[in-house]
Amino acid sequence: MRATDATRIYFDAAADQLDLSASMRRLLLTAKREVQVSIPIELDSGELATFIGYRVQHNDARGPLKGGLRYHPQVDLDEVRALAALMTWKTAVVNIPYGGAKGGVSVDPAARSTRELERITRRLVDEIHDLFGPDVDIPAPDMGTNADMMAWIMNQYGKYHGFSPACVTGKPVDYHGIPGREEATGRGVGALTLKLLGRLGRRIPGTRIAIQGFGNVGTHTAKFLHDAECTIVAVSDATAGFHREEGLDVLEMLRYAQAHSGRLEGFKGGDALTNAELLALDCDVLIPAALGGVLHKGNAEAVRAPIIVEAANAPTEPEADAIFDRRSITVVPDILVNAGGVTASWFEWVQNRQHYQWGINRVRQELDRILGESFEQVWQLAQSRQVSLRTAAYMLGVGRVAKATVLGGVA
Ligand code: NAD
């Protein structure tokens, strides 16, 4: 199923509940602007290579567009379009004053040198610098991109428009970033997992967790839940997967990954398991924190976890979601649970504009408050309307965007 068709199905379920008109649905589903650019660069070998970059600016009814930049070989316009719409609903669910956008470059970052990635990033900025900026559209890191790349974006943007740290978020702390941004998505995933366990009356210590993906989101989620005395029984990344019923040594895994360019291949502290085995593992909470579309109708019946927490964007296809619903598996949706990153990005943007910096404690406190309140609103709506947490989150997000559209007017 195409990524846009999947997000459309989730949107429609909420739009039905909200009784939105056909014309409002069409307006909300249509992207404001979609851009595709070519990115020719000279490789280290001296050869010429041309990459394709995308930026989809979905909806700015509630404020400037906001969304990550993904570097992955499978990036295409349909995926970026779907992820941009998710950002619109996500910023609205946590009620921060942004719209939604997404960007990406079809490139395998693991196969490119740092210098090549810098050339790609700077050339992308050359192509789209007049389409983004502090009051227009603010990129951030996503899969395959990191704080250093955000620093290159700020620096390159500044060559055209002058000093503008708020043109991009997720920057290094020593280069106009803020402490706590890097951990924010994983921290939010961990914190809301604990909230859900509390709501379901389950004991937190010893909760058995399986995590797919050990990058920015996966590592911080693992560390947060490990610190909360959960047992991380399985972890995988693109190179390997490991299982240990008594719990993996998460800190040792983090050290290992750090020493091996972020890869887990060769780690000795657990039994090998495949990604398919991890998704079907007997555990209490399954956390997909890597690619989209990993839970589909082909493997949904095999899932044994009673709780799925969507740290990744769009990990569950609608057919799988329907199967989970029938099997009473609780799914905490991406647009709620992984919103910690964009929320901390908002803090960074606000502070860049004020030329001020909060300490880590204030960042964590504000983040926990905003995510906690959003979780409660979604939980209450799901209870009162007898809908899934996903439909409730979409109702909250889509409803707020529709309201802002009416208030702002369209003419
Ligand atoms: P990342 O690039 O830092 O890490 C990705 C991880 O996924 C790596 O460990 C990689 O090895 C692993 N992976 C890739 N292909 C895999 C496969 N086929 N099987 C298993 N593992 C695989 O990316 P990230 O920033 O951690 O993002 C992960 C997910 O979270 C994405 O869906 C992203 O859109 C979403 N997300 C990220 C943020 C953020 O702040 N970084 C915010 C919200 C949502």
Side-chain angles (χ1 to χ4, degrees), residues 70-72 83 87 90 102 141-145 181-182 184-186 212-219 236-240 262-263 275 288-292 294 311-314 338-342:
R70 177 176 288 199
Y71 285 5
H72 192 277
L83 292 170
M87 285 305 300
K90 188 182 302 183
K102 199 80 179 187
D142 189 70
M143 228 164 106
T145 54
R181 166 60 185 88
E182 195 161 314
T185 306
Q212 181 187 53
F214 206 56
N216 173 293
V217 180
T219 53
S236 69
D237 73 357
T239 65
R263 297 152 64 96
N275 265 298
L291 297 173
V294 293
N313 278 315
N338 71 28
V342 71

Side-chain angles (χ1 to χ4, degrees), residues 319-355:
E319 292 106 332
D321 202 51
I323 293 171
F324 297 147
D325 212 29
R326 172 173 54 73
R327 295 180 57 208
S328 301
I329 292 175
T330 304
V331 180
V332 194
D334 47 7
I335 58 169
L336 168 66
V337 84
N338 71 28
V342 71
T343 304
S345 272
W346 175 47
F347 301 156
E348 182 178 329
W349 179 80
V350 167
Q351 288 163 69
N352 285 155
R353 311 198 79 172
Q354 296 175 331
H355 304 287

Side-chain angles (χ1 to χ4, degrees), residues 87-385:
M87 285 305 300
T88 301
W89 318 136
K90 188 182 302 183
T91 53
V93 169
V94 287
N95 210 4
I96 58 178
Y98 285 138
K102 199 80 179 187
V105 178
S106 176
V107 58
D108 180 3
R112 305 267 64 103
S113 71
T114 304
R115 295 286 306 143
E116 288 171 343
L117 291 171
E118 181 170 351
R119 272 179 233 130
I120 290 170
T121 306
R122 288 186 184 275
R123 184 62 198 249
L124 173 66
V125 175
D126 290 341
E127 296 299 327
I128 66 167
H129 70 88
D130 52 350
L131 299 178
F132 76 103
D135 286 317
V136 183
D137 178 6
I138 307 119
D142 189 70
M143 228 164 106
T145 54
N146 57 31
D148 290 352
M149 297 174 187
M150 301 306 115
W152 300 332
I153 290 176
M154 176 188 148
N155 181 273
Q156 194 69 10
Y157 182 88
K159 292 176 187 171
Y160 295 96
H161 302 279
F163 178 68
S164 310
C167 74
V168 61
T169 58
K171 302 177 293 293
V173 177
D174 292 329
Y175 195 70
H176 308 283
I178 59 164
R181 166 60 185 88
E182 195 161 314
E183 69 173 25
T185 306
R187 179 183 177 84
V189 171
L192 294 194
T193 301
L194 301 188
K195 270 207 170 288
L196 179 76
L197 290 169
R199 274 285 180 185
L200 296 175
R202 297 176 77 111
R203 211 177 105 79
I204 289 169
T207 298
R208 295 167 307 143
I209 313 256
I211 303 176
Q212 181 187 53
F214 206 56
N216 173 293
V217 180
T219 53
H220 288 291
T221 300
K223 187 163 179 316
F224 186 93
L225 290 171
H226 172 77
D227 289 347
E229 297 180 26
C230 294
T231 307
I232 312 299
V233 290
V235 168
S236 69
D237 73 357
T239 65
F242 300 93
H243 176 225
R244 188 165 182 268
E245 197 48 38
E246 315 80 74
L248 293 159
D249 185 340
V250 170
L251 300 183
E252 186 50 38
M253 271 188 133
L254 286 167
R255 274 192 291 272
Y256 184 90
Q258 243 163 23
H260 294 84
S261 317
R263 297 152 64 96
L264 286 175
E265 195 175 25
F267 180 70
K268 295 280 180 264
D271 301 326
L273 99 166
T274 63
N275 265 298
E277 288 166 344
L278 180 140
L279 295 173
L281 197 70
D282 177 15
C283 60
D284 301 312
V285 183
L286 172 63
I287 306 187
L291 297 173
V294 293
L295 295 167
H296 44 77
K297 65 176 184 225
N299 63 6
E301 295 288 0
V303 169
R304 280 189 280 173
I307 297 170
I308 297 170
V309 175
E310 294 186 335
N313 278 315
T316 310
E317 295 207 336
E319 292 106 332
D321 202 51
I323 293 171
F324 297 147
D325 212 29
R326 172 173 54 73
R327 295 180 57 208
S328 301
I329 292 175
T330 304
V331 180
V332 194
D334 47 7
I335 58 169
L336 168 66
V337 84
N338 71 28
V342 71
T343 304
S345 272
W346 175 47
F347 301 156
E348 182 178 329
W349 179 80
V350 167
Q351 288 163 69
N352 285 155
R353 311 198 79 172
Q354 296 175 331
H355 304 287
Y356 185 69
Q357 201 178 73
W358 294 351
I360 180 82
N361 290 340
R362 175 131 186 230
V363 171
R364 287 177 173 167
Q365 204 180 0
E366 294 281 332
L367 183 69
D368 294 353
R369 180 184 62 78
I370 289 175
L371 293 180
E373 286 174 5
S374 305
F375 176 87
E376 285 305 325
Q377 286 172 7
V378 170
W379 179 269
Q380 296 301 344
L381 192 57
Q383 298 294 309
S384 66
R385 299 290 291 260

